[in-house]
Amino acid sequence: MGEIIRVAFDAVLANKLRSLLTMLGIVIGIAAVITMVALGEGAQRSVAQRLQGLGTNVLTVRPGQSFTGGMIRAQASMTIDDAEALRENPRHIQAVAPEIESRFQVEYGAKNANLSVVGTWPDYFKVNQGQVTDGRLFTDAEDKGRRRVVVLGALAGAQLGLTDTAALVGESIRIRGIPFQVIGVLAEKGAQGFNNPDESLYIPLSTAQFRVMGSDRIRSIAVQAVSDTSMDDAMAEIDQKLRREHRLRPEQPADFNIRDQASLLSTMQETTQTFSLLLAGIAAISLLVGGIGIMNIMLVSVTERTREIGLRKALGATGMDIMLQFLVESLVLCLAGGTLGLLLGMGGAAMLQRMAGWTVVVAPEAIIVAIAFSATVGVFFGIWPARRAASLAPIESLRYE
């Protein structure tokens, strides 16, 4: 076996350029698969971390469609009364945070930017696990008093030309031309889809309704259940209270939607996993092409070395010896290509993370699968040329020109 392996390595190294070109398909295929799987795994973990940061026991209530005569007539609306109804005599509900949001021009000195302004209750920060790093959060008394106070997201100051958002604590900014006092800054949470809470401003809900936006309609209500195990009970309680508030009969369809973060997390993970598998499948086509290339080169090698095969058999080599020699050559080509592709894929993933800021994770399972797949390709596409070489008759091989 040692001699077989040595001869196989000698044969591969005897034609370095041809061996390198033969491995190129495997190198590109493995590199593409490793990079795509790393991106997909990173996307899944990023989505999971961000959604878990919102709380797994949080339900989101949004307006649905209003129905008249069995037909959709208009988008239903939700008001502060709905949030008040949910907060009244709670059984499975721990906190309620209605939310109203719009974009306004925000000014600080000579700087200005168009930013998202969110009006909500103080419980919003509890429900969404918002931590203050500088200053403080606004209180229920400030909400009832319609005070002009604002809490900034971690990156809101950068939008206004400041390097440190904390420098705005105690300062006055203008929202839609109305002066507000900055009382706190939140810890950074990261972007969530098309929305980045770190660039948003948070003001009391009553202030937003009566001083800034002039509307009593709210966009959504975040509801925190008592625990993860009471999610179904909390959903039933929300449905019961909002149906009573909207005067809906049991047989009528609800004009609101209830979503929980756990189902959203599961959906997003399934989506990113499907996307990752699709990309990996496309990249795996390169492996198939590379394997066919290796089989083609091995067939050419068998033809070129027919006299050598006849000489080895004449000196006592068995068909199994010849077959093992060519299988080892094919395996060496694939494993070497797989190793180079693995290094290239890991380097490409690291480059994407550094240059594009994407989250990438090269899982150990992906490395093991890549190497195992390379070996499988080597054996699968090398077995036919190896069997062909082993079946050659010694006398006919020695006569071959």
Side-chain angles (χ1 to χ4, degrees), residues 208-235:
Q209 288 181 314
F210 297 102
R211 293 182 181 270
V212 181
M213 302 178 188
S215 173
D216 64 342
R217 293 191 175 187
I218 57 180
R219 185 181 66 173
S220 63
I221 304 174
V223 181
Q224 186 178 37
V226 174
S227 65
D228 294 345
T229 57
S230 60
M231 295 289 284
D232 292 338
D233 294 330
M235 291 180 70

Side-chain angles (χ1 to χ4, degrees), residues 128-362:
N128 291 280
Q129 300 181 4
Q131 302 294 326
V132 64
T133 57
D134 294 277
R136 63 177 180 86
L137 304 173
F138 52 78
T139 63
D140 286 321
E142 289 171 325
D143 177 56
K144 293 177 181 178
R146 305 176 188 175
R147 298 289 302 275
R148 291 176 299 188
V149 292
V150 59
V151 176
L152 305 181
L155 302 180
Q159 302 298 310
L160 295 172
L162 297 177
T163 56
D164 185 13
T165 306
L168 286 172
V169 176
E171 299 291 327
S172 177
I173 63 173
R174 294 183 298 279
I175 303 175
R176 201 181 179 185
I178 304 171
F180 277 77
Q181 182 185 12
V182 179
I183 60 172
V185 176
L186 296 175
E188 188 171 352
K189 296 194 69 174
Q192 298 166 2
F194 295 104
N195 181 39
N196 189 350
D198 295 327
E199 297 178 356
S200 299
L201 285 70
Y202 303 89
I203 62 177
L205 181 62
S206 60
T207 306
Q209 288 181 314
F210 297 102
R211 293 182 181 270
V212 181
M213 302 178 188
S215 173
D216 64 342
R217 293 191 175 187
I218 57 180
R219 185 181 66 173
S220 63
I221 304 174
V223 181
Q224 186 178 37
V226 174
S227 65
D228 294 345
T229 57
S230 60
M231 295 289 284
D232 292 338
D233 294 330
M235 291 180 70
E237 184 177 349
I238 293 170
D239 184 77
Q240 179 185 9
K241 289 184 175 182
L242 290 186
R243 280 183 173 276
R244 184 171 63 243
E245 186 68 23
H246 294 186
R247 295 180 173 83
L248 295 174
R249 294 189 297 273
E251 66 273 9
Q252 288 183 290
D255 59 356
F256 53 87
N257 298 317
I258 307 174
R259 295 289 301 273
D260 66 285
Q261 301 293 354
S263 64
L264 182 60
L265 173 61
S266 177
T267 301
M268 291 297 294
Q269 285 182 328
E270 289 177 2
T271 302
T272 53
Q273 186 176 15
T274 302
F275 188 63
S276 302
L277 291 175
L278 176 63
L279 292 177
I282 295 173
I285 296 175
S286 299
L287 292 175
L288 178 62
V289 174
I292 294 173
I294 286 177
M295 182 173 64
N296 182 43
I297 291 299
M298 294 305 298
L299 287 171
V300 171
S301 180
V302 170
T303 303
E304 288 179 347
R305 296 158 63 187
T306 301
R307 289 176 61 85
E308 176 191 333
I309 294 170
L311 183 59
R312 289 182 184 278
K313 282 197 169 185
L315 293 174
T318 63
M320 182 59 69
D321 293 331
I322 301 298
M323 186 173 179
L324 282 175
Q325 179 186 337
F326 282 88
L327 268 180
V328 170
E329 288 183 27
S330 176
L331 196 59
V332 166
L333 287 172
C334 283
L335 286 178
T339 303
L340 289 175
L342 177 62
L343 295 176
L344 186 62
M346 293 173 67
M351 187 178 298
L352 285 174
Q353 185 175 22
R354 180 175 298 179
M355 297 181 64
W358 296 344
T359 301
V360 296
V361 178
V362 181

